Amino acid sequence: MEVAARELIPALISQAPPGMRFTAFVNREAAASAGPWGELLPAITVPVHARRRLQWVLGEQALLPRLAAGAGVDLLHSMASTAPLRGRFRRVVTVHDLIYARYPEAHSRLREKGMSVLVPAPRGARTE
């Protein structure tokens, strides 16, 4: 997902109409690494660790809506299959796969249930 972000950010900026603003919301690990965030656009660190899934979800649901509101976000593009359920902004979500729905036995029951709530694909949707 980080590779996709590194490539998508410059492409979006190069195609954006004049006056359009971008802000990257990044986790602690991404904030500490070099990337287009901070170079091509401002970055706001969401104080979560990328590999701690529960921390990530809580940050995305509790912290990100406030950070996005403070930054004046109109549209939030979430690149990690889930997005905040609340917030006064529109959402675009990149869903990388639907393995949790097609093969729920591949995940813990808790993770499968969480993904079915947080991923915006309706249950029963085609996942082929």
Side-chain angles (χ1 to χ4, degrees):
M1 290 178 245
E2 186 177 326
V3 171
R6 287 177 184 278
E7 294 180 12
L8 181 61
I9 289 169
L12 284 174
I13 291 171
S14 73
Q15 298 299 310
M20 183 172 281
R21 291 183 315 113
F22 293 89
T23 302
F25 295 91
V26 298
N27 59 53
R28 288 177 170 152
E29 290 80 6
S33 68
W37 44 87
E39 294 173 15
L40 298 179
L41 69 164
I44 296 174
T45 302
V46 181
V48 298
H49 291 285
R51 296 187 195 257
R52 295 185 184 159
R53 189 66 180 163
L54 181 58
Q55 195 178 102
W56 173 302
V57 170
L58 291 174
E60 182 177 68
Q61 298 305 314
L63 301 175
L64 187 53
R66 285 184 289 194
L67 293 170
V73 169
D74 295 317
L75 174 71
L76 182 74
H77 179 191
S78 296
M79 297 187 64
S81 300
T82 62
L85 296 173
R86 64 178 184 81
R88 293 187 174 193
F89 42 80
R90 294 178 186 257
R91 293 151 188 79
V92 173
V93 182
T94 298
V95 179
H96 295 274
D97 66 59
L98 295 172
I99 292 172
Y100 78 92
R102 182 77 167 148
Y103 302 102
E105 67 279 3
H107 297 288
S108 69
R109 186 170 168 90
L110 178 62
R111 184 163 182 173
E112 186 273 329
K113 288 292 182 196
M115 293 296 284
S116 69
V117 169
L118 295 174
V119 175
R123 296 296 283 166
R126 288 192 70 176
T127 58
E128 298 175 33

